Amino acid sequence: MADRQNELINCVSFNARSISRKVLDVYFEVLLQLNFPDVICISETWLRDDIPDSIFSVCKGYSVFRCDRQSGKRGGGVAILTKPGLFCQRVNVVTNDCLEVICILLKGTRRSVIICCVYRPPGNDGNCVASLSNLLCSLQSFEIPIIIVGDLNLPNVSWPSMTASDSFSLDLVRLFISFGFQQFVVEA
């Protein structure tokens, strides 16, 4: 829940696997009406540049920040929507094809935070560890808390214990630990 005195934020994150189908769905409207979240982070939007932000018309007044998949392949994409009245701006980040990322700077009266929605397509290991490391290094320069949400497609990671059963997943877990990240959501 949002607590304006302590400046907590109510953030909802989900993998849509095509937002265009979900926006028309009653589920999405109910989610907004019941939670009225400050921030909505969506991975796998499946949106393209030719689809306008009005696709989110059910989210009346929310600011829309998007990073659509550029490769021309179907799927992917990330978006962050922010409640009216919040001061947010897009943080420009550089990644390669292994990650799809959108980051915003959310400024409060007493503290600010960077929120990033990240999607890593399955099997796209490539330079992913290096790309994620570069992203985290560039965000650290802001010297404010960073929240990472999304879908990294790491089924071999045990997030409560921050362990993994394969070397690639373990490298990513170690990277997050080295940057001081903690896992807060342990079940969906």
Side-chain angles (χ1 to χ4, degrees):
M1 265 319 202
D3 179 349
R4 298 297 171 226
Q5 238 176 358
N6 294 320
E7 293 195 307
L8 297 177
I9 57 171
N10 180 356
C11 181
V12 172
S13 175
F14 65 95
N15 183 316
R17 193 137 200 236
S18 183
I19 195 64
S20 54
R21 289 191 316 225
K22 300 289 191 289
V23 169
L24 303 175
D25 197 354
V26 173
Y27 153 79
F28 200 64
E29 271 192 67
V30 170
L31 170 74
L32 291 171
Q33 290 173 359
L34 292 178
N35 292 310
F36 196 50
D38 299 309
V39 179
I40 303 169
C41 299
I42 309 165
S43 55
E44 280 202 89
T45 60
W46 291 28
L47 299 178
R48 301 177 312 271
D49 290 341
D50 63 328
I51 299 174
D53 288 349
S54 61
I55 190 84
F56 295 104
S57 62
V58 70
C59 305
K60 292 176 179 54
Y62 276 72
S63 297
V64 178
F65 302 89
R66 291 170 42 183
C67 179
D68 302 332
R69 179 169 282 174
Q70 299 301 308
S71 69
K73 293 181 183 176
R74 187 181 86 158
V78 288
I80 298 178
L81 285 66
T82 58
K83 184 189 279 186
L86 295 179
F87 180 77
C88 301
Q89 65 187 53
R90 185 178 187 144
V91 175
N92 292 319
V93 295
V94 177
T95 63
N96 60 24
D97 289 342
C98 77
L99 293 174
E100 296 168 12
V101 180
I102 185 74
C103 297
I104 63 165
L105 171 62
L106 176 61
K107 290 189 176 185
T109 54
R110 290 186 285 160
R111 66 175 21 175
S112 298
V113 64
I114 291 176
I115 300 174
C116 297
C117 186
V118 180
Y119 176 68
R120 185 187 74 83
N124 196 354
D125 300 352
N127 296 321
C128 189
V129 176
S131 183
L132 191 54
S133 179
N134 291 338
L135 171 68
L136 297 176
C137 281
S138 69
L139 294 174
Q140 270 192 329
S141 66
F142 285 87
E143 297 182 353
I144 58 175
I146 303 166
I147 298 171
I148 306 283
V149 300
D151 185 355
L152 294 173
N153 281 301
L154 296 172
N156 296 325
V157 172
S158 168
W159 291 110
S161 63
M162 296 293 280
T163 59
S165 60
D166 67 87
S167 60
F168 173 74
S169 298
L170 189 56
D171 287 345
L172 281 176
V173 167
R174 287 178 178 154
L175 178 68
F176 282 117
I177 291 170
S178 73
F179 277 89
F181 280 91
Q182 297 175 328
Q183 177 67 27
F184 288 107
V185 178
V186 291
E187 64 181 81

